Amino acid sequence: MRKHQVFWFPIIFCSIAFFHTEALRIPLGSKLSVANHEDWISPNGNFAFGFFNRSDQPNRFGVGIRFNSISIPLSEQAFVWVAGAHVSVGYDSFLQLTEAGDLVLFDPSNGAAVWRSNTRNSSVAWASLRDDGNLVLLNTHQDVVWQSFDTPSDTLLPGQNLTFFKTLRAASSNFVSSYYSLLMDALGQLRLSWETNVAYWKTGATSSEPILAAVFTREGAFQLLDMRSRPVWSSFGDDHNDSSVNFRFLRLDSDGNLRMYSWTSGSNSWRKVWQAVENQCDVFATCGLSGICALTPSGDTTCECPFGGLSSNSNFNCLVPDNQTCDTGSTVITLKHTFLYGIYPPEDFITRSSIELCKNSCLQDPRCTSVTVTNDGKAQCRMKRTRFVTGHEHPSLTSISFVKVCIDPFPAVPGKVHAPSPSSAPPSPKRSSRLHISSAVVLAAGALIVFLVLQIGAFLCFLRRRKATKSLGAARYPCQSSVGLISLSYSELKDITSDFKHRIGLNLHKGVLPIDQVVVVKELKYDAECGENIGEKQFKSWIFTLGGIHHKNLVRLLAYSCNSGRRFLVYEFIKNASVDKWLEDAKLSRRLTWRRRMDICVGVARGLAYLHSGCREFVSHGNLKWENVLLNEELEAKVTEFGVAAVRGNVSQDSQQAEVDVARFGEMIVIMVSGQQGGVDMCSWAYKEWMEGCAVRVVDSRIGGKFNVEEVERMLRVAFWCIQADARLRPMMGEVLKVLEGTLSVDPPPPPYPCLKPLEESHSIQ
């Protein structure tokens, strides 16, 4: 697991010819280096293991297994396995099978091992790259201790199995498609997923008997086998059982589709002989933020943007309009034979209604951006409340979609004026003067009427606001922002807080809105926090950004106030205290079981991943700690205070701040596992315990020994990656989330601090 995501097929190799070292047995101490351009070769010469250039990262290298047959041109020698998947190293790097039996990728520029097989002291005697493309580590009894077939990247080779909870993950250089994965779930179904909760292809019901594995056969079949090794589901390539085909592979491509490829000697190319999803537009988020998917006459896919314009900050983003600031009212554009769905978040609000009711419900909901009605007998109205919308279009689709847009403003014309005919005489000066005077009178009368209507509307709006007959986000507030935020006056804040009577923390007061919603009012102090670093215009701009963020693991910002020289933020009230109070209290901490602690960490990771990658603008937390994570009635994590550091003007919003958030989250994981504060000292102690194989000693004793050892290992590994002193080694929050959820494996981390050294002697890696 690493911060950089890469795309490794096709690969651009060095122009320098490689020096190949053939070996049946690769002895302990053997080493490959980038500089020497050497490979380990399978006995039949069909596969090679060595370094290669990263096509998307100049002067960066990975190490992996590729096809090496002389019948396949160098440019077509696809990589089938990569150590660490996304790991990239510098020119001075090398890989060594150490005397302790560990296969280690070492980058001197980082001063640490960046990937390892974690097999030291496992009696490894030698390594071998087999004729089937499997890199294995064996003991003296020739038993396999470790093999690349057990840790697939994005590809399966003939004879390779995919067992429970092992994952293929698509390689990509962009963020969205890096979420595509293939795994076998607990029910024995193969599932293609976007992120972790959106499955867009399944093998369906299989067998009443337990499933053993998914197997890619040498004959070109992909099958599910039961415990008796009988196929219960199969898919076959077009050239199944064709004995003339020598090379095949099955790969989860970067577009999210699972495909089978065969080498065709006649055309000197890889031919697609099967794919899981026939219509590429049916792959979830095929177009990502680039519009909706449509098929061209040739059968290819294209991404079209029918929403009325591209995003202002990107030439490639196609977002639905932000229609909550329509001064002239809203209407909808109709997209027939189109199915739309939101991707950030990937859930729609679904009800049953007619087409007309569905369309009107979107027009009346200030947060609605678009709706889709499925005209298939279910009458589902699928409402989206996000600008991040995609989907697909096809004449066979019966669904119809509506996208909310602003009504274009037009000037009021008092009467229809016809252009004079060429034969008409020009009007006399007096008549022209009378016309101008009448037009001015009409315009003045129209302006007066408009003014009176606005005044009456404002008065009615004020009355409705005072009575609080509608929700906080309704249009009754004259200072409502584009995302539904409410601008409150200082007197209104005093009303809802009973003159700031109920203090619940430093600069925090409890309040109740007229609609009986409990809120928390936070004051940003100028002298201690705010200073004069950020002006009112910048303050409002950033507040509007924060107000548009909605996620189940983030505390929602409801309102703000910047009147009377003071600034306040109004949040939804979360019933339970912050997590640090639960960890410190002896009675409350006993309710934090291991499973609950895991869920809390996953919830925080989801919220942070959304802030960093799911929002329209990047948002760093800036002050991440357990004090700023609250628990609701179900003890679910709700992160608060996100982005407030930027509001105060003392934290910029850039990628470096993302790395800071990741490091703080790593420390929080250690605190959650151990139940103890301590910062760097606590993390150093936990790492030393983990290195000595005593990770269980880190776990909070108040849990009473009821924890999962594998989950402890996973939690600590990801924590130590997050707190790496070299920020370049820290993962992205999206990767952290996948590891915590168990959908992405994580390698053993190097020492997080320079003063810590691995247990093995330094001379074992030369």
Side-chain angles (χ1 to χ4, degrees), residues 660-709:
V660 172
D661 283 352
V662 170
R664 298 291 82 79
F665 182 65
E667 294 176 357
M668 290 168 63
I669 291 178
V670 175
I671 293 172
M672 180 60 76
V673 172
S674 65
Q676 303 177 49
Q677 300 281 352
V680 173
D681 292 338
M682 175 59 62
C683 292
S684 298
W685 166 78
Y687 183 79
K688 290 177 181 177
E689 292 286 351
W690 173 80
M691 280 199 307
E692 295 171 0
C694 301
V696 294
R697 293 203 299 223
V698 180
V699 182
D700 192 345
S701 60
R702 294 174 294 184
I703 296 178
K706 298 178 180 179
F707 54 84
N708 184 297
V709 177

Side-chain angles (χ1 to χ4, degrees), residues 185 187-191 201-211 224-226 231-234:
D185 60 24
L187 299 177
Q189 293 179 325
L190 288 171
R191 186 177 72 215
W201 177 84
K202 292 181 180 180
T203 53
T206 54
S207 172
S208 58
E209 294 190 15
I211 300 301
L224 282 175
L225 304 181
D226 63 16
V232 297
W233 173 87
S234 300

Side-chain angles (χ1 to χ4, degrees), residues 432-443:
S432 175
S433 175
R434 286 196 301 270
L435 178 62
H436 291 161
I437 293 173
S438 349
S439 298
V441 171
V442 172
L443 287 172

Side-chain angles (χ1 to χ4, degrees), residues 684 688 751-757:
S684 298
K688 290 177 181 177
Y753 307 113
C755 59
L756 300 177
K757 302 296 180 184

Side-chain angles (χ1 to χ4, degrees), residues 542-560:
W542 188 240
I543 284 298
F544 292 167
T545 297
L546 299 183
I549 297 174
H550 304 141
H551 190 278
K552 66 176 294 185
N553 294 113
L554 300 174
V555 177
R556 187 177 176 187
L557 180 65
L558 300 175
Y560 72 98

